[in-house]
């Protein structure tokens, strides 16, 4: 086996596909120290600048003093602390659902929800650009797995009409992680109601950022359908919320079923309660600091205006994920390297993560970026474009 592995790794390296980790030596922020050098970074999901916020650090310390460091048991044995419980109640209230359940990560939440709710007699209908965790979950569930082209609702409806599956689960990212576009949520919910299907909405990139008070994409102005019982809402707490973990919010029957049978919920250690304590502070800031979303929006507007004249096009996106479409993989890597030489980090995303011929620079904006940071990036890209 080992010589086989070595050979495969060597092939990967020759094709320029070997992924490498670089070592971060500072907290996550707009300005970071990595592998001994300072960078202006446009890579993280810390959209609201909370990952290194003093109030969150203080809450985590208080949480550690009260609960210790480790939960040391699963939620079903005796690891479910009052900090977890209060956070679940607060998240349910914040997102407008009867109940919520914490998971250790978004990946585990998606695996747990899908495998607990559907099986062999059921069908999953999934957007082709959904997150990898949702696809893995679908395969693990053994339900029929039907993928529809990105946001092609006509095709989705055809497939929903044609199925005679017992349970029907439609799955979509709310904000697509490599495109930055927002799913047609209202239409998805209407389709689900019409066809007696349930919608699992993954709002990893919308929670904290979109909607009134950062309550997520179900609180966008054109989404008055929050009260549909056909929605299972999922979001991570390691992106805009700046901490770690994830949650699912839904009707009581759904949450109770997850507690009884979601294996990635049951068979794992509860997250440290100190994180739940930090998340309570994070939620307070998400809700009250409207200026964080305003500053983020200004950064998005500034970037889009400044990059209009480039030979490469920004994909249509109103979210902090701003992909600059390059096309050719080698060209995308080259531009990313030129930026890095200037002390600016923007990841190049290539196939198979995105479709052939659509390699891109994935620019992630944050409240932590100052207008001069965005200016430094746009000026560097304009210079690189002139040399190309
Ligand atoms: C990041 C992400 C996840 C996984 O969340 P983690 O908490 O990082 O495990 C799931 N879905 C989407 C769309 C994501 O972007």
């Amino acid at each position: 086996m080992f010589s086989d592995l070595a050979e495969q790794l060597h092939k990967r390296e020759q094709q320029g596909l070997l992924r490498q980790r670089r070592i971060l030596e500072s907290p996550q922020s707009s300005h970071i120290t990595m592998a001994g050098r300072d960078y202006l970074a446009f890579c993280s999901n810390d959209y609201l600048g909370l990952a290194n916020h003093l109030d969150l650090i203080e809450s985590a310390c208080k949480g550690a003093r009260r609960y210790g460091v480790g939960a040391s048991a699963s939620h079903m044995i005796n690891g479910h602390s009052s900090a977890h419980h209060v956070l679940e109640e607060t998240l349910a209230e914040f997102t407008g659902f009867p109940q919520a359940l914490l998971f250790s990560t978004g990946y585990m939440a998606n695996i747990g929800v899908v495998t607990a709710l559907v099986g062999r007699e059921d069908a999953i209908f999934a957007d082709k650009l959904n997150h990898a965790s949702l696809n893995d979950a679908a395969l693990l569930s053994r339900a029929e797995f039907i993928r529809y082209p990105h946001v092609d609702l006509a095709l989705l409806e055809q497939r929903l009409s044609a199925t005679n599956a017992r349970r029907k689960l439609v799955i979509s990212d709310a904000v697509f992680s490599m495109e930055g576009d927002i799913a047609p949520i209202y239409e998805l919910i209407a389709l689900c109601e019409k066809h007696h299907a349930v919608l699992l909405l993954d709002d990893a990139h919308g929670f904290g950022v979109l909607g009134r008070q950062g309550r997520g994409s179900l609180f966008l102005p054109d989404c008055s359908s929050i009260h549909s019982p056909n929605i299972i809402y999922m979001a991570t707490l390691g992106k805009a919320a700046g901490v770690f973990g994830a949650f699912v919010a839904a009707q009581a029957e759904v949450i109770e079923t997850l507690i009884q049978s979601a294996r990635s919920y049951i068979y794992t250690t509860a997250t440290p309660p100190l994180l739940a304590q930090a998340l309570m502070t994070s939620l307070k800031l998400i809700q009250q600091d409207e200026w964080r979303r305003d500053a983020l929006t200004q950064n998005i507007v500034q970037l889009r205006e400044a990059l209009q004249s480039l030979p490469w096009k920004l994909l249509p996106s109103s979210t902090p994920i701003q992909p600059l479409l390059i096309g050719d993989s080698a060209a995308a890597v080259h531009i990313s390297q030129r930026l890095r030489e200037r002390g600016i980090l923007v990841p190049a995303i290539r196939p198979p993560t995105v479709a052939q011929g659509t390699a891109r620079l994935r620019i992630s904006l944050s409240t932590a970026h100052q207008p001069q940071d965005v200016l430094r990036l746009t000026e560097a890209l304009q210079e690189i474009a002139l040399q190309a």
Side-chain angles (χ1 to χ4, degrees), residues 42-120:
F42 294 90
C43 317
S44 89
N45 306 310
D46 180 29
Y47 301 127
L48 297 178
L50 293 176
N52 188 31
H53 193 287
L54 285 177
D55 291 359
L56 270 71
I57 296 169
E58 192 49 45
S59 298
C61 293
K62 271 195 200 145
R65 281 192 287 270
R66 171 153 180 209
Y67 295 100
V69 179
S72 303
S74 69
H75 283 277
M76 302 312 286
I77 303 297
N78 70 349
H80 186 64
S81 74
S82 49
H84 294 125
H85 205 73
V86 169
L87 178 60
E88 286 181 344
E89 288 174 348
T90 308
L91 286 166
E93 194 273 327
F94 190 57
T95 53
F97 284 87
Q99 283 190 31
L101 187 71
L102 287 171
F103 279 80
S104 293
T105 70
Y107 191 101
M108 292 169 77
N110 285 337
I111 297 283
V113 172
V114 176
T115 57
L117 299 183
V118 294
R120 284 182 199 283

Side-chain angles (χ1 to χ4, degrees), residues 45 104-108 110 130-131 133-134 173 175 177 202-205 234 236-239 244-246 362:
N45 306 310
S104 293
T105 70
Y107 191 101
M108 292 169 77
N110 285 337
N130 277 350
H131 191 258
S133 58
L134 293 167
D173 283 14
V175 175
S177 48
D202 179 337
D203 203 19
H205 297 281
M234 172 272 173
T236 77
L237 299 167
K239 289 176 176 155
F244 186 74
R362 183 176 183 272

Side-chain angles (χ1 to χ4, degrees), residues 127-245:
D127 191 292
K128 272 224 165 120
L129 297 190
N130 277 350
H131 191 258
S133 58
L134 293 167
N135 296 336
D136 294 358
L139 293 175
L140 200 58
S141 76
R142 296 179 170 146
E144 188 187 358
F145 186 25
I146 300 165
R147 298 173 82 194
Y148 56 89
H150 185 45
V151 301
D152 188 339
L153 297 191
L155 209 77
L156 170 60
E157 173 142 45
Q158 269 181 27
R159 301 278 153 86
L160 279 169
S161 310
T163 185
N164 44 26
R166 180 187 63 153
R167 295 178 182 170
K168 288 163 270 192
L169 183 66
V170 175
I171 307 183
S172 182
D173 283 14
V175 175
F176 288 88
S177 48
M178 295 301 146
E179 315 293 305
D181 60 335
I182 300 173
I185 298 167
Y186 182 84
E187 290 80 0
L188 279 169
I189 296 166
L191 264 186
C192 286
E193 288 188 335
K194 183 173 163 197
H195 292 274
H196 307 289
V198 168
L199 175 67
L200 170 58
L201 192 69
D202 179 337
D203 203 19
H205 297 281
F207 181 75
V209 173
L210 299 179
R212 180 169 55 84
Q213 297 178 313
R215 289 170 193 254
S217 54
L218 288 170
F219 287 80
L220 286 166
D222 55 350
C223 264
S224 54
S225 42
I226 178 69
H227 296 298
S228 169
N230 293 36
I231 306 171
I232 299 173
Y233 180 80
M234 172 272 173
T236 77
L237 299 167
K239 289 176 176 155
V243 186
F244 186 74

Side-chain angles (χ1 to χ4, degrees), residues 1-2 35 76 86 98 133 145 191 271 288 309 332 342 362 373 381:
M1 190 204 281
F2 294 150
M76 302 312 286
V86 169
S133 58
F145 186 25
L191 264 186
T271 52
Q288 80 188 19
S309 56
R342 288 169 162 79
R362 183 176 183 272
D373 295 331
L381 280 167

